[in-house]
Amino acid sequence: MQKNELVKVKIEDIGVGGEGIGKVDGYTLFIKDAIIGDVVEAKVMKAKKNYGYARLMNVLTPSKDRVEEVVCPMARKCGGCQIQEMKYPAQLAFKESKVRGNLERIGEVPGELLDQIMHPVVGMDEEGMQPFRYRNKAQFPIGTDKDGRVTAGFYAGRTHSIIGNTDCVLGVEVNEEILNCILDFMEEFEIPAYDEVKHKGLVRHVLLRYGFKTDEIMVCLVINGKTIPHCHDLVGRLRQIPGMTSITLSSNTAKTNVIMGDTIRLLWGQEFITDYIGEIKYQISPLSFYQVNPVQTEKLYGLALDYAGLTGNETVWDLYCGIGTISLFLAKKAKQVYGVEIVPQAIDDARNNAKINDITNAEFYVGKAEEVLPEYYKEYEKTHNGETVHADVIVVDPPRKGCEESLLQTIVDMQPEKVVYVSCDSATLARDVKFLRAKGYELKDVTPVDQFPHTVHVETVCLLSKLNAKQHIEVDIHMDELDLTDAEKKATYSEIKEYVLEHTGLKVSSLYIAQVKQKCGIIERENYNKPKSDDAKQPQCPPDKEKAIKEALKHFGMI
């Protein structure tokens, strides 16, 4: 495949960034804006040895799942809606398949098990609601267009070039009115937009939040300075917009891609807006993490609560708790809830949200979940004469990178009956599920939830339950097959492998163990260690590993 070559491609899958994936004579191409089922003409832009990237030139035969006309004409340029060209039922099918595929491929969860426990994806169309205008938060960069006029919009994919757009169809309609008010003010008083290359100019971003249940509006202006000239005039204009509740200023003078500054200064109103998820009331500040799709969030947290199966007697840990969104849901049904979050302001918000909801059985800790929980576990053991702390249910809602292995191990050590895993990345979810399954927790329920229609992202709620060691199965054993004296001193292959690894650092195979056992006169089942054919070659156990295996066999009293 050569650069600039025109090719005809049928799209068979979608990549992690929303690119269509197709093959030409076995060579894989990634093509933005193409969807599954399309037959397209594409121009190769970058060609590597085994794969390349191509630009969509023409849709030769549209997929049956391609929409006739996209709602947002800026979708391709913006890149925020990677799959808006795809009909919504097909989006849901793709996301469900994505979660299942990752659990099977990365998590090594048997397909037969997923057939029994995986539920259909929960979409936004179940209640007749169109999957637009669902975001309660938007962050608009402010810049200057080629004609020198100030503009607001979104960064084009993988760039910092602003695509002018004051009416994103994923956000609420009032956003456009607010942005036009701010842009008009900047033009009138010649307030310069920030230039990130020169690190000059004043207004960097506008953060907007909206309460779906309360209709309260927040505006936070992020500036490269301490104040805005004629600020009183701007506040006066914004106050006229119905629902305006909070107008704040965030100073960010650093040369950075981070949007928000560390401090928030109130210009008018109050420093937060309020909203509800279910019956729980939340106060949301500019720096608060709060799920951006409240309609789907209520379904997501409802599933988490159902999976937890609380009766009122449980101790629950909620890791990566944010402002207490899931914690307070759980606290209504649990005996005690402990939340952990690294952002101090989020914990302040969580404690305050507990207070305004009259919830007294929720405590919150500031720190990394990867550090707080293991340290708490160790300290508890020290101060309780070796007794270990126990949790009935542990809920995790980690960032995209998933959970660190040290945290997963502590979760296992605390022996909860249930682990409820809320994930925003099914690949890292699958990796962590694999670890937990290997440690005695089985996957019982999986439900994908579409929090972000028209994008490739999908949330997933999983329930893992501790396998019950008290359960048993009945097996018929013939007494003439059982050597009672030998049975007492036999170790399994897994135990031998673990012993060798722990004491020597060597990894040994079952084949090597069988060979050493045969040398030592330990009789295996017939044909256990024989090659599949007479002329087949088998690797022979190296001397260092043979020595290590013999030491293990001695340890277990087998030789």
Side-chain angles (χ1 to χ4, degrees):
M1 194 66 62
Q2 302 294 320
K3 184 178 179 181
N4 296 325
E5 186 175 347
L6 282 175
V7 293
K8 180 180 177 181
V9 191
K10 181 172 183 180
I11 305 302
E12 299 171 346
D13 202 354
I14 293 179
V16 293
E19 314 94 339
I21 303 175
K23 290 187 177 183
V24 179
D25 298 327
Y27 185 85
T28 301
L29 284 172
F30 295 87
I31 306 170
K32 183 177 176 292
D33 302 316
I35 68 169
I36 297 171
D38 279 343
V39 177
V40 305
E41 181 184 49
K43 183 178 181 180
V44 179
M45 305 305 293
K46 184 184 291 187
K48 294 184 177 290
K49 184 178 180 180
N50 298 314
Y51 66 94
Y53 298 91
R55 177 183 296 162
L56 176 64
M57 304 303 289
N58 294 296
V59 178
L60 302 176
T61 306
S63 166
K64 63 179 177 58
D65 294 319
R66 178 174 280 276
V67 298
E68 293 181 6
E69 185 177 353
V70 295
V71 173
C72 177
M74 309 300 293
R76 286 193 179 183
K77 290 182 179 180
C78 168
C81 294
Q82 304 101 336
I83 54 174
Q84 196 181 129
E85 295 91 350
M86 187 183 290
K87 292 177 182 177
Y88 192 55
Q91 291 184 29
L92 295 177
F94 158 69
K95 294 183 180 187
E96 186 175 315
S97 175
K98 177 182 178 179
V99 173
R100 181 184 175 113
N102 282 333
L103 285 171
E104 283 193 83
R105 188 179 67 260
I106 302 172
E108 298 181 5
V109 181
E112 300 81 13
L113 176 60
L114 290 172
D115 287 341
Q116 300 173 30
I117 65 169
M118 189 162 177
H119 306 285
V121 60
V122 178
M124 286 196 72
D125 58 347
E126 293 181 342
E127 297 173 0
M129 181 175 181
Q130 292 296 318
F132 294 100
R133 304 293 183 192
Y134 62 78
R135 287 186 65 97
N136 58 19
K137 176 187 176 183
Q139 296 174 136
F140 291 86
I142 306 298
T144 306
D145 65 17
K146 60 183 180 180
D147 298 321
R149 292 178 61 85
V150 292
T151 185
F154 299 97
Y155 294 124
R158 299 179 182 176
T159 76
H160 271 233
S161 299
I162 297 176
I163 303 298
N165 182 10
T166 56
D167 184 27
C168 171
V169 295
L170 300 190
V172 292
E173 292 176 329
V174 73
N175 287 349
E176 183 174 28
E177 181 181 358
I178 296 168
L179 289 171
N180 287 335
C181 177
I182 293 170
L183 294 177
D184 290 345
F185 163 81
M186 291 177 67
E187 288 282 354
E188 181 178 339
F189 290 98
E190 298 182 346
I191 307 297
Y194 179 66
D195 184 327
E196 66 177 10
V197 175
K198 298 178 180 178
H199 193 46
K200 292 183 178 180
L202 187 61
V203 182
R204 301 177 68 140
H205 280 82
V206 175
L207 165 68
L208 304 176
R209 288 186 184 268
Y210 181 80
F212 270 56
K213 296 284 182 70
T214 62
D215 295 323
E216 295 180 1
I217 299 171
M218 169 186 290
V219 175
C220 180
L221 295 114
V222 184
I223 61 171
N224 179 39
K226 299 298 182 185
T227 188
I228 299 178
H230 310 285
C231 187
H232 181 74
D233 192 287
L234 175 60
V235 168
R237 299 181 187 191
L238 291 172
R239 285 176 57 185
Q240 302 306 311
I241 297 173
M244 190 60 63
T245 303
S246 173
I247 305 175
T248 58
L249 203 63
S250 175
S251 178
N252 182 1
T253 57
K255 193 171 184 179
T256 175
N257 290 333
V258 176
I259 293 176
M260 300 295 292
D262 295 329
T263 59
I264 303 295
R265 181 160 66 90
L266 183 64
L267 298 179
W268 177 84
Q270 58 195 34
E271 294 181 345
F272 58 86
I273 61 171
T274 57
D275 203 12
Y276 289 82
I277 300 177
E279 299 177 354
I280 306 295
K281 181 179 182 180
Y282 298 93
Q283 289 185 355
I284 308 153
S285 64
L287 295 175
S288 296
F289 171 78
Y290 188 72
Q291 291 277 7
V292 299
N293 186 335
V295 172
Q296 293 298 90
T297 297
E298 192 162 341
K299 298 174 185 177
L300 184 76
Y301 291 173
L303 280 167
L305 186 61
D306 286 346
Y307 284 178
L310 302 176
T311 63
N313 299 313
E314 294 86 1
T315 297
V316 182
W317 281 80
D318 177 19
L319 309 179
Y320 311 96
C321 69
I323 63 171
T325 41
I326 296 182
S327 301
L328 303 185
F329 255 61
L330 299 168
K332 288 285 189 179
K333 298 286 183 70
K335 178 181 178 181
Q336 180 68 43
V337 175
Y338 300 101
V340 182
E341 171 60 49
I342 191 173
V343 181
Q345 185 172 350
I347 289 297
D348 290 341
D349 288 343
R351 289 168 179 158
N352 185 60
N353 287 328
K355 183 177 179 181
I356 65 176
N357 286 280
D358 296 321
I359 292 174
T360 58
N361 60 332
E363 294 182 25
F364 297 95
Y365 297 90
V366 178
K368 291 183 179 180
E370 298 86 352
E371 295 174 358
V372 171
L373 196 64
E375 287 174 5
Y376 180 89
Y377 182 84
K378 291 176 184 176
E379 189 62 29
Y380 188 96
E381 191 172 15
K382 286 180 184 177
T383 57
H384 289 74
N385 297 320
E387 180 186 348
T388 55
V389 66
H390 172 70
D392 298 297
V393 179
I394 294 181
V395 178
V396 294
D397 186 5
R400 294 195 185 283
K401 67 176 184 178
C403 298
E404 291 186 11
E405 191 169 300
S406 59
L407 177 62
L408 293 173
Q409 185 58 55
T410 304
I411 290 172
V412 171
D413 291 341
M414 292 177 69
Q415 301 183 43
E417 293 302 316
K418 298 176 181 177
V419 176
V420 179
Y421 197 129
V422 181
S423 167
C424 59
D425 188 318
S426 57
T428 54
L429 164 69
R431 178 201 68 202
D432 294 349
V433 163
K434 180 180 178 180
F435 180 95
L436 291 170
R437 290 185 74 233
K439 296 290 184 175
Y441 283 83
E442 185 54 279
L443 202 55
K444 296 293 185 182
D445 284 285
V446 180
T447 305
V449 179
D450 186 24
Q451 289 280 96
F452 311 103
H454 310 298
T455 77
V456 293
H457 303 298
V458 58
E459 298 266 331
T460 311
V461 189
C462 289
L463 169 64
L464 296 106
S465 292
K466 185 180 178 184
L467 293 174
N468 190 349
K470 294 179 181 178
Q471 291 180 343
H472 63 276
I473 58 173
E474 293 184 0
V475 181
D476 289 330
I477 298 176
H478 296 289
M479 294 305 294
D480 58 356
E481 295 177 353
L482 182 62
D483 184 335
L484 294 177
T485 56
D486 280 348
E488 294 176 350
K489 56 184 182 181
K490 282 186 178 179
T492 65
Y493 277 73
S494 294
E495 288 172 335
I496 294 169
K497 290 177 184 179
E498 289 176 5
Y499 181 90
V500 171
L501 182 62
E502 181 180 348
H503 289 80
T504 67
L506 297 173
K507 291 185 177 180
V508 296
S509 66
S510 296
L511 174 62
Y512 288 165
I513 295 171
Q515 290 174 352
V516 175
K517 289 172 78 174
Q518 189 177 48
K519 282 185 178 182
C520 294
I522 301 173
I523 299 173
E524 292 291 336
R525 291 186 300 274
E526 182 67 20
N527 296 326
Y528 183 93
N529 193 33
K530 288 186 178 181
K532 294 180 180 178
S533 63
D534 293 336
D535 60 347
K537 293 183 179 179
Q538 282 186 312
Q540 296 299 306
C541 183
D544 58 337
K545 293 187 176 182
E546 180 175 333
K547 180 180 178 182
I549 293 169
K550 284 183 177 178
E551 289 298 321
L553 297 178
K554 288 178 183 177
H555 169 77
F556 290 109
M558 299 174 71
I559 58 175

